[in-house]
Amino acid sequence: MFYISNIFSTPPAQFTTDLQKEVYKVLGQLKIPFERVKTDEAISMEDCILINEKLNMEMVKTLFLCNKKKTLFYLFITTGEKAFNTKKFCEALDISRVSFAPQELFEEILGTKIGAATVFSTLTDWEKTIQVIFDRDVVENKYYGCSDGTTTGYMKVKTDDILNVLLPHSKHTYKIINL
């Protein structure tokens, strides 16, 4: 049985990762409203079906990608139902082949574990290691659903707040591609 708590518009009482703590601190500083749910561990898009229903929206799928040398990193944010096509992604950015980043780099670069990749990792990426890439279908949605930096906390915020408040605050630019 999969457990999901009620919807909250306040931070959790205790934080389980440094990234999660930073997420709620910055949301408060920037006065970005949010709704969140606490769940059992959710890692796959299938796990997100009940979360989507609870928050009345669709969670994004966030992929952490890198080049062969592991010197360039991409946070690709797309819709949950889209399959990832490496060739089309690379063609859209005019780059060489990419692959999924190895597990050890999730914690080192994103501050999360697999299943919790999130745009909020830009808040702790002071060296601007991460290049943020959005699928056009994501930016056209009113709401943006993602992990709060854990595999047990998921939230809903306005997409405009992610693009026009959060990312400028983290000093990250982004690209939008059609896939």
Side-chain angles (χ1 to χ4, degrees), residues 72-106:
L72 298 173
F73 299 94
Y74 305 90
L75 204 58
F76 177 51
I77 302 152
T78 187
T79 60
E81 75 278 352
K82 279 192 182 179
F84 179 61
N85 184 310
T86 304
K87 183 179 179 185
K88 287 182 181 180
F89 178 83
C90 292
E91 286 173 355
L93 294 175
D94 195 27
I95 59 174
S96 299
R97 195 122 177 110
V98 296
S99 60
F100 292 100
Q103 181 176 349
E104 63 271 9
L105 292 180
F106 270 75

mmCIF file of all heavy atoms in Angstrom, residues 72-106:
data_model
loop_
_atom_site.group_PDB
_atom_site.id
_atom_site.type_symbol
_atom_site.label_atom_id
_atom_site.label_comp_id
_atom_site.label_asym_id
_atom_site.label_seq_id
_atom_site.Cartn_x
_atom_site.Cartn_y
_atom_site.Cartn_z
ATOM 1 N N LEU A 72 30.205 17.610 -18.652
ATOM 2 C CA LEU A 72 29.035 18.435 -18.945
ATOM 3 C C LEU A 72 27.802 17.719 -18.403
ATOM 4 O O LEU A 72 27.631 16.516 -18.641
ATOM 5 C CB LEU A 72 28.882 18.653 -20.451
ATOM 6 C CG LEU A 72 30.022 19.396 -21.144
ATOM 7 C CD1 LEU A 72 29.817 19.375 -22.657
ATOM 8 C CD2 LEU A 72 30.130 20.821 -20.630
ATOM 9 N N PHE A 73 26.951 18.466 -17.708
ATOM 10 C CA PHE A 73 25.783 17.866 -17.062
ATOM 11 C C PHE A 73 24.515 18.600 -17.458
ATOM 12 O O PHE A 73 24.497 19.829 -17.535
ATOM 13 C CB PHE A 73 25.957 17.880 -15.543
ATOM 14 C CG PHE A 73 27.158 17.095 -15.103
ATOM 15 C CD1 PHE A 73 28.371 17.719 -14.904
ATOM 16 C CD2 PHE A 73 27.080 15.727 -14.932
ATOM 17 C CE1 PHE A 73 29.493 17.005 -14.533
ATOM 18 C CE2 PHE A 73 28.187 14.998 -14.566
ATOM 19 C CZ PHE A 73 29.408 15.635 -14.360
ATOM 20 N N TYR A 74 23.480 17.825 -17.696
ATOM 21 C CA TYR A 74 22.199 18.357 -18.152
ATOM 22 C C TYR A 74 21.095 17.857 -17.235
ATOM 23 O O TYR A 74 21.011 16.666 -16.934
ATOM 24 C CB TYR A 74 21.897 17.901 -19.576
ATOM 25 C CG TYR A 74 22.989 18.238 -20.554
ATOM 26 C CD1 TYR A 74 24.034 17.356 -20.792
ATOM 27 C CD2 TYR A 74 22.987 19.461 -21.228
ATOM 28 C CE1 TYR A 74 25.053 17.676 -21.680
ATOM 29 C CE2 TYR A 74 24.001 19.784 -22.121
ATOM 30 C CZ TYR A 74 25.032 18.889 -22.335
ATOM 31 O OH TYR A 74 26.037 19.216 -23.201
ATOM 32 N N LEU A 75 20.255 18.756 -16.799
ATOM 33 C CA LEU A 75 19.040 18.401 -16.082
ATOM 34 C C LEU A 75 17.922 18.599 -17.092
ATOM 35 O O LEU A 75 17.555 19.739 -17.407
ATOM 36 C CB LEU A 75 18.871 19.329 -14.878
ATOM 37 C CG LEU A 75 18.042 18.831 -13.720
ATOM 38 C CD1 LEU A 75 18.598 17.529 -13.162
ATOM 39 C CD2 LEU A 75 18.004 19.873 -12.625
ATOM 40 N N PHE A 76 17.430 17.505 -17.646
ATOM 41 C CA PHE A 76 16.396 17.581 -18.670
ATOM 42 C C PHE A 76 15.050 17.323 -18.026
ATOM 43 O O PHE A 76 14.825 16.285 -17.400
ATOM 44 C CB PHE A 76 16.656 16.568 -19.781
ATOM 45 C CG PHE A 76 15.578 16.559 -20.833
ATOM 46 C CD1 PHE A 76 15.153 17.730 -21.439
ATOM 47 C CD2 PHE A 76 14.978 15.366 -21.207
ATOM 48 C CE1 PHE A 76 14.155 17.723 -22.396
ATOM 49 C CE2 PHE A 76 13.979 15.347 -22.171
ATOM 50 C CZ PHE A 76 13.565 16.528 -22.761
ATOM 51 N N ILE A 77 14.143 18.282 -18.199
ATOM 52 C CA ILE A 77 12.836 18.222 -17.562
ATOM 53 C C ILE A 77 11.783 18.081 -18.645
ATOM 54 O O ILE A 77 11.635 18.953 -19.503
ATOM 55 C CB ILE A 77 12.610 19.476 -16.694
ATOM 56 C CG1 ILE A 77 13.732 19.560 -15.650
ATOM 57 C CG2 ILE A 77 11.245 19.435 -16.037
ATOM 58 C CD1 ILE A 77 14.065 20.929 -15.191
ATOM 59 N N THR A 78 11.063 16.969 -18.590
ATOM 60 C CA THR A 78 10.059 16.666 -19.600
ATOM 61 C C THR A 78 8.791 16.174 -18.914
ATOM 62 O O THR A 78 8.711 16.118 -17.685
ATOM 63 C CB THR A 78 10.615 15.628 -20.608
ATOM 64 O OG1 THR A 78 9.681 15.466 -21.683
ATOM 65 C CG2 THR A 78 10.897 14.292 -19.961
ATOM 66 N N THR A 79 7.809 15.815 -19.700
ATOM 67 C CA THR A 79 6.560 15.308 -19.136
ATOM 68 C C THR A 79 6.727 13.838 -18.781
ATOM 69 O O THR A 79 7.561 13.135 -19.356
ATOM 70 C CB THR A 79 5.394 15.488 -20.124
ATOM 71 O OG1 THR A 79 5.697 14.772 -21.319
ATOM 72 C CG2 THR A 79 5.163 16.959 -20.442
ATOM 73 N N GLY A 80 5.933 13.399 -17.836
ATOM 74 C CA GLY A 80 6.048 12.041 -17.328
ATOM 75 C C GLY A 80 5.797 10.953 -18.344
ATOM 76 O O GLY A 80 6.394 9.873 -18.274
ATOM 77 N N GLU A 81 4.953 11.219 -19.324
ATOM 78 C CA GLU A 81 4.582 10.154 -20.264
ATOM 79 C C GLU A 81 5.534 10.027 -21.448
ATOM 80 O O GLU A 81 5.474 9.061 -22.196
ATOM 81 C CB GLU A 81 3.143 10.341 -20.763
ATOM 82 C CG GLU A 81 2.942 11.441 -21.785
ATOM 83 C CD GLU A 81 2.819 12.839 -21.208
ATOM 84 O OE1 GLU A 81 2.737 12.991 -19.977
ATOM 85 O OE2 GLU A 81 2.816 13.799 -22.001
ATOM 86 N N LYS A 82 6.429 10.993 -21.634
ATOM 87 C CA LYS A 82 7.327 10.948 -22.796
ATOM 88 C C LYS A 82 8.519 10.028 -22.551
ATOM 89 O O LYS A 82 9.184 10.120 -21.519
ATOM 90 C CB LYS A 82 7.866 12.339 -23.125
ATOM 91 C CG LYS A 82 6.921 13.173 -23.912
ATOM 92 C CD LYS A 82 7.628 14.398 -24.432
ATOM 93 C CE LYS A 82 6.664 15.280 -25.200
ATOM 94 N NZ LYS A 82 7.325 16.486 -25.691
ATOM 95 N N ALA A 83 8.789 9.182 -23.531
ATOM 96 C CA ALA A 83 10.005 8.376 -23.493
ATOM 97 C C ALA A 83 11.173 9.272 -23.884
ATOM 98 O O ALA A 83 11.029 10.170 -24.707
ATOM 99 C CB ALA A 83 9.886 7.203 -24.452
ATOM 100 N N PHE A 84 12.331 9.032 -23.291
ATOM 101 C CA PHE A 84 13.506 9.833 -23.605
ATOM 102 C C PHE A 84 14.176 9.306 -24.870
ATOM 103 O O PHE A 84 14.433 8.122 -25.004
ATOM 104 C CB PHE A 84 14.503 9.808 -22.444
ATOM 105 C CG PHE A 84 15.752 10.590 -22.720
ATOM 106 C CD1 PHE A 84 15.691 11.947 -22.965
ATOM 107 C CD2 PHE A 84 16.984 9.960 -22.750
ATOM 108 C CE1 PHE A 84 16.847 12.681 -23.226
ATOM 109 C CE2 PHE A 84 18.137 10.672 -23.005
ATOM 110 C CZ PHE A 84 18.075 12.033 -23.242
ATOM 111 N N ASN A 85 14.454 10.215 -25.804
ATOM 112 C CA ASN A 85 15.118 9.863 -27.050
ATOM 113 C C ASN A 85 16.448 10.617 -27.088
ATOM 114 O O ASN A 85 16.482 11.829 -27.332
ATOM 115 C CB ASN A 85 14.239 10.256 -28.243
ATOM 116 C CG ASN A 85 14.829 9.839 -29.562
ATOM 117 O OD1 ASN A 85 15.997 10.099 -29.841
ATOM 118 N ND2 ASN A 85 14.012 9.218 -30.394
ATOM 119 N N THR A 86 17.527 9.887 -26.831
ATOM 120 C CA THR A 86 18.856 10.495 -26.761
ATOM 121 C C THR A 86 19.211 11.224 -28.045
ATOM 122 O O THR A 86 19.714 12.356 -28.012
ATOM 123 C CB THR A 86 19.927 9.412 -26.483
ATOM 124 O OG1 THR A 86 19.575 8.715 -25.296
ATOM 125 C CG2 THR A 86 21.292 10.017 -26.315
ATOM 126 N N LYS A 87 18.949 10.595 -29.182
ATOM 127 C CA LYS A 87 19.318 11.183 -30.464
ATOM 128 C C LYS A 87 18.627 12.531 -30.672
ATOM 129 O O LYS A 87 19.269 13.522 -31.034
ATOM 130 C CB LYS A 87 18.983 10.219 -31.598
ATOM 131 C CG LYS A 87 19.403 10.728 -32.959
ATOM 132 C CD LYS A 87 19.074 9.737 -34.057
ATOM 133 C CE LYS A 87 19.495 10.311 -35.403
ATOM 134 N NZ LYS A 87 19.106 9.478 -36.507
ATOM 135 N N LYS A 88 17.323 12.585 -30.423
ATOM 136 C CA LYS A 88 16.582 13.838 -30.615
ATOM 137 C C LYS A 88 17.033 14.914 -29.623
ATOM 138 O O LYS A 88 17.116 16.086 -29.968
ATOM 139 C CB LYS A 88 15.080 13.590 -30.482
ATOM 140 C CG LYS A 88 14.491 12.851 -31.670
ATOM 141 C CD LYS A 88 13.003 12.678 -31.502
ATOM 142 C CE LYS A 88 12.404 11.922 -32.682
ATOM 143 N NZ LYS A 88 10.967 11.734 -32.537
ATOM 144 N N PHE A 89 17.317 14.497 -28.391
ATOM 145 C CA PHE A 89 17.798 15.438 -27.378
ATOM 146 C C PHE A 89 19.114 16.070 -27.840
ATOM 147 O O PHE A 89 19.273 17.291 -27.820
ATOM 148 C CB PHE A 89 17.987 14.718 -26.036
ATOM 149 C CG PHE A 89 18.533 15.584 -24.939
ATOM 150 C CD1 PHE A 89 17.697 16.411 -24.199
ATOM 151 C CD2 PHE A 89 19.890 15.573 -24.624
ATOM 152 C CE1 PHE A 89 18.200 17.207 -23.174
ATOM 153 C CE2 PHE A 89 20.401 16.361 -23.610
ATOM 154 C CZ PHE A 89 19.555 17.182 -22.884
ATOM 155 N N CYS A 90 20.039 15.241 -28.260
ATOM 156 C CA CYS A 90 21.350 15.731 -28.706
ATOM 157 C C CYS A 90 21.229 16.611 -29.951
ATOM 158 O O CYS A 90 21.902 17.638 -30.053
ATOM 159 C CB CYS A 90 22.300 14.563 -28.959
ATOM 160 S SG CYS A 90 22.742 13.697 -27.435
ATOM 161 N N GLU A 91 20.370 16.223 -30.884
ATOM 162 C CA GLU A 91 20.168 17.035 -32.086
ATOM 163 C C GLU A 91 19.577 18.399 -31.731
ATOM 164 O O GLU A 91 19.984 19.422 -32.286
ATOM 165 C CB GLU A 91 19.237 16.312 -33.065
ATOM 166 C CG GLU A 91 19.897 15.157 -33.777
ATOM 167 C CD GLU A 91 18.926 14.333 -34.630
ATOM 168 O OE1 GLU A 91 17.688 14.603 -34.590
ATOM 169 O OE2 GLU A 91 19.394 13.404 -35.301
ATOM 170 N N ALA A 92 18.639 18.429 -30.798
ATOM 171 C CA ALA A 92 17.998 19.687 -30.409
ATOM 172 C C ALA A 92 18.995 20.662 -29.784
ATOM 173 O O ALA A 92 18.851 21.874 -29.918
ATOM 174 C CB ALA A 92 16.845 19.424 -29.442
ATOM 175 N N LEU A 93 20.018 20.137 -29.121
ATOM 176 C CA LEU A 93 21.022 20.982 -28.474
ATOM 177 C C LEU A 93 22.314 21.086 -29.278
ATOM 178 O O LEU A 93 23.233 21.796 -28.872
ATOM 179 C CB LEU A 93 21.339 20.441 -27.073
ATOM 180 C CG LEU A 93 20.202 20.507 -26.060
ATOM 181 C CD1 LEU A 93 20.603 19.837 -24.771
ATOM 182 C CD2 LEU A 93 19.790 21.948 -25.817
ATOM 183 N N ASP A 94 22.379 20.343 -30.387
ATOM 184 C CA ASP A 94 23.582 20.299 -31.219
ATOM 185 C C ASP A 94 24.814 19.910 -30.386
ATOM 186 O O ASP A 94 25.823 20.610 -30.361
ATOM 187 C CB ASP A 94 23.806 21.639 -31.926
ATOM 188 C CG ASP A 94 24.822 21.521 -33.057
ATOM 189 O OD1 ASP A 94 24.962 20.415 -33.619
ATOM 190 O OD2 ASP A 94 25.501 22.529 -33.349
ATOM 191 N N ILE A 95 24.659 18.784 -29.677
ATOM 192 C CA ILE A 95 25.741 18.267 -28.838
ATOM 193 C C ILE A 95 26.005 16.806 -29.180
ATOM 194 O O ILE A 95 25.201 16.160 -29.839
ATOM 195 C CB ILE A 95 25.412 18.384 -27.329
ATOM 196 C CG1 ILE A 95 24.124 17.618 -26.991
ATOM 197 C CG2 ILE A 95 25.306 19.847 -26.916
ATOM 198 C CD1 ILE A 95 23.798 17.548 -25.512
ATOM 199 N N SER A 96 27.153 16.303 -28.692
ATOM 200 C CA SER A 96 27.472 14.886 -28.855
ATOM 201 C C SER A 96 26.577 14.055 -27.958
ATOM 202 O O SER A 96 25.833 14.579 -27.135
ATOM 203 C CB SER A 96 28.930 14.634 -28.485
ATOM 204 O OG SER A 96 29.775 15.364 -29.329
ATOM 205 N N ARG A 97 26.707 12.807 -28.086
ATOM 206 C CA ARG A 97 25.896 11.834 -27.329
ATOM 207 C C ARG A 97 25.968 12.070 -25.819
ATOM 208 O O ARG A 97 27.009 12.415 -25.294
ATOM 209 C CB ARG A 97 26.410 10.442 -27.654
ATOM 210 C CG ARG A 97 25.504 9.344 -27.248
ATOM 211 C CD ARG A 97 25.150 8.524 -28.474
ATOM 212 N NE ARG A 97 24.329 7.391 -28.116
ATOM 213 C CZ ARG A 97 23.076 7.313 -28.440
ATOM 214 N NH1 ARG A 97 22.507 8.268 -29.120
ATOM 215 N NH2 ARG A 97 22.370 6.269 -28.116
ATOM 216 N N VAL A 98 24.853 11.849 -25.155
ATOM 217 C CA VAL A 98 24.787 11.906 -23.695
ATOM 218 C C VAL A 98 24.286 10.568 -23.176
ATOM 219 O O VAL A 98 23.717 9.762 -23.919
ATOM 220 C CB VAL A 98 23.848 13.023 -23.180
ATOM 221 C CG1 VAL A 98 24.358 14.390 -23.560
ATOM 222 C CG2 VAL A 98 22.422 12.820 -23.637
ATOM 223 N N SER A 99 24.509 10.353 -21.895
ATOM 224 C CA SER A 99 23.975 9.163 -21.236
ATOM 225 C C SER A 99 23.481 9.584 -19.851
ATOM 226 O O SER A 99 23.690 10.717 -19.423
ATOM 227 C CB SER A 99 25.046 8.076 -21.125
ATOM 228 O OG SER A 99 26.134 8.547 -20.367
ATOM 229 N N PHE A 100 22.847 8.651 -19.163
ATOM 230 C CA PHE A 100 22.384 8.941 -17.811
ATOM 231 C C PHE A 100 23.602 9.063 -16.900
ATOM 232 O O PHE A 100 24.533 8.266 -16.984
ATOM 233 C CB PHE A 100 21.435 7.854 -17.317
ATOM 234 C CG PHE A 100 20.134 7.844 -18.057
ATOM 235 C CD1 PHE A 100 19.899 6.925 -19.070
ATOM 236 C CD2 PHE A 100 19.152 8.768 -17.767
ATOM 237 C CE1 PHE A 100 18.705 6.923 -19.772
ATOM 238 C CE2 PHE A 100 17.948 8.784 -18.473
ATOM 239 C CZ PHE A 100 17.731 7.862 -19.474
ATOM 240 N N ALA A 101 23.595 10.069 -16.044
ATOM 241 C CA ALA A 101 24.705 10.272 -15.114
ATOM 242 C C ALA A 101 24.744 9.109 -14.116
ATOM 243 O O ALA A 101 23.699 8.580 -13.736
ATOM 244 C CB ALA A 101 24.537 11.594 -14.380
ATOM 245 N N PRO A 102 25.938 8.715 -13.693
ATOM 246 C CA PRO A 102 26.044 7.610 -12.733
ATOM 247 C C PRO A 102 25.492 7.980 -11.358
ATOM 248 O O PRO A 102 25.471 9.163 -10.977
ATOM 249 C CB PRO A 102 27.542 7.323 -12.671
ATOM 250 C CG PRO A 102 28.213 8.531 -13.197
ATOM 251 C CD PRO A 102 27.237 9.225 -14.089
ATOM 252 N N GLN A 103 25.078 6.971 -10.641
ATOM 253 C CA GLN A 103 24.425 7.143 -9.344
ATOM 254 C C GLN A 103 25.234 8.013 -8.385
ATOM 255 O O GLN A 103 24.677 8.877 -7.709
ATOM 256 C CB GLN A 103 24.171 5.769 -8.725
ATOM 257 C CG GLN A 103 23.481 5.825 -7.388
ATOM 258 C CD GLN A 103 23.152 4.442 -6.847
ATOM 259 O OE1 GLN A 103 23.254 3.454 -7.565
ATOM 260 N NE2 GLN A 103 22.774 4.374 -5.605
ATOM 261 N N GLU A 104 26.539 7.832 -8.326
ATOM 262 C CA GLU A 104 27.350 8.577 -7.357
ATOM 263 C C GLU A 104 27.328 10.089 -7.611
ATOM 264 O O GLU A 104 27.509 10.877 -6.696
ATOM 265 C CB GLU A 104 28.794 8.069 -7.316
ATOM 266 C CG GLU A 104 29.581 8.232 -8.585
ATOM 267 C CD GLU A 104 29.473 7.073 -9.574
ATOM 268 O OE1 GLU A 104 28.641 6.161 -9.382
ATOM 269 O OE2 GLU A 104 30.216 7.094 -10.568
ATOM 270 N N LEU A 105 27.062 10.498 -8.850
ATOM 271 C CA LEU A 105 27.021 11.932 -9.146
ATOM 272 C C LEU A 105 25.699 12.583 -8.741
ATOM 273 O O LEU A 105 25.627 13.805 -8.623
ATOM 274 C CB LEU A 105 27.309 12.172 -10.621
ATOM 275 C CG LEU A 105 28.742 11.847 -11.053
ATOM 276 C CD1 LEU A 105 28.933 12.116 -12.542
ATOM 277 C CD2 LEU A 105 29.757 12.608 -10.231
ATOM 278 N N PHE A 106 24.668 11.786 -8.525
ATOM 279 C CA PHE A 106 23.399 12.358 -8.069
ATOM 280 C C PHE A 106 23.612 13.103 -6.755
ATOM 281 O O PHE A 106 23.225 14.244 -6.599
ATOM 282 C CB PHE A 106 22.329 11.268 -7.884
ATOM 283 C CG PHE A 106 21.530 11.011 -9.120
ATOM 284 C CD1 PHE A 106 22.071 10.308 -10.177
ATOM 285 C CD2 PHE A 106 20.238 11.485 -9.235
ATOM 286 C CE1 PHE A 106 21.348 10.069 -11.322
ATOM 287 C CE2 PHE A 106 19.494 11.250 -10.382
ATOM 288 C CZ PHE A 106 20.046 10.546 -11.424
#
